[in-house]
Amino acid sequence: MPDLPPLREIIARHGLSASKALGQNFLFDEQLLGRIAAIPGDLNDVAVLEIGPGPGGLTRALLRAGARVTAIEMDERCLPALAELSEAFPGKLSVIHGDAMKLDHDALMGEPYAIASNLPYNVGTALFVKWLGGQSWPPLWTSLTLMFQQEVAQRIVSAPGNSKFGRLAVLAQWRANAALSMKVHRSAFTPPPKVMSAIVHVTPNDMPAGVTFKTLEQLTAAAFGQRRKMLRQSVKSVSGALEALDRLGVDPTRRAETLSVEEIVKIARELS
């Protein structure tokens, strides 16, 4: 393994500071970064996609774990620091300057790949839904190891009946397994964010037959968009939803958060 200078030295040498506009918060604790890189399992010679590497803290941990990393970075200020890391790990790191929301990740990777990222807070949820929403299933990605604000992470892994259970939980759990792997204290970041963070690990599961992601997304947006209302009110804007409830024997006076993922999938199947 190359002997790399401390991350703080890299930051200082390149005059880098976290951009609030880009949702950046830098992690310097290399022991913590190593623990995050270990969550997906053995990464030796595994293709890994990283979004928003910044100065390369998690990137170097992934490279030390043996991964072949493709990193998409929007902030051109970070590119020189990432170039140094690429030189230290010849042939192991490819850096793309661009907007991850506008790129086709499957086409970019061209092989099965894991995704591991300390996601920028301002695009984290949008990217997550994008990865979950692929028409082809199982997806080309083999796992997602992602850092979110702790509240978002809890929403992703929450169970029915919990006040945090909603659209994100259903989209994450209807054809995948989602688990909260690690909590990260705000003091671990520079600058410290106002909220705590957590790592979510997601792996694809079997896809229920006869259901489309588009229909499920439409149904959950309506049901949880007015979560305090009974289903007969919240989903009436979805064509055929009330009739589907009747056919399935689902009490229309229930609220969406009381439904199980399986029940929501059944309703979506009726609509599909």
Side-chain angles (χ1 to χ4, degrees), residues 205-220:
N205 207 343
D206 293 335
M207 178 171 169
V211 184
T212 66
F213 179 84
K214 183 178 180 180
T215 300
L216 191 72
E217 190 172 33
Q218 181 186 19
L219 176 64
T220 54

Side-chain angles (χ1 to χ4, degrees), residues 247-267:
R247 288 195 298 272
L248 293 170
V250 176
D251 184 352
T253 66
R254 291 172 65 183
R255 291 179 173 83
E257 66 186 38
T258 70
L259 297 172
S260 68
V261 174
E262 291 74 19
E263 285 179 305
I264 294 171
V265 166
K266 287 180 180 178
I267 298 168

Side-chain angles (χ1 to χ4, degrees), residues 104-116:
D104 183 332
H105 302 152
D106 286 357
L108 183 66
M109 300 301 289
E111 62 179 313
Y113 61 101
I115 299 174

Side-chain angles (χ1 to χ4, degrees), residues 86-105:
S86 184
E87 291 176 7
F89 290 86
K92 292 290 189 177
L93 173 60
S94 173
V95 179
I96 296 168
H97 181 213
D99 184 348
M101 287 296 297
K102 297 179 180 179
L103 296 172
D104 183 332
H105 302 152

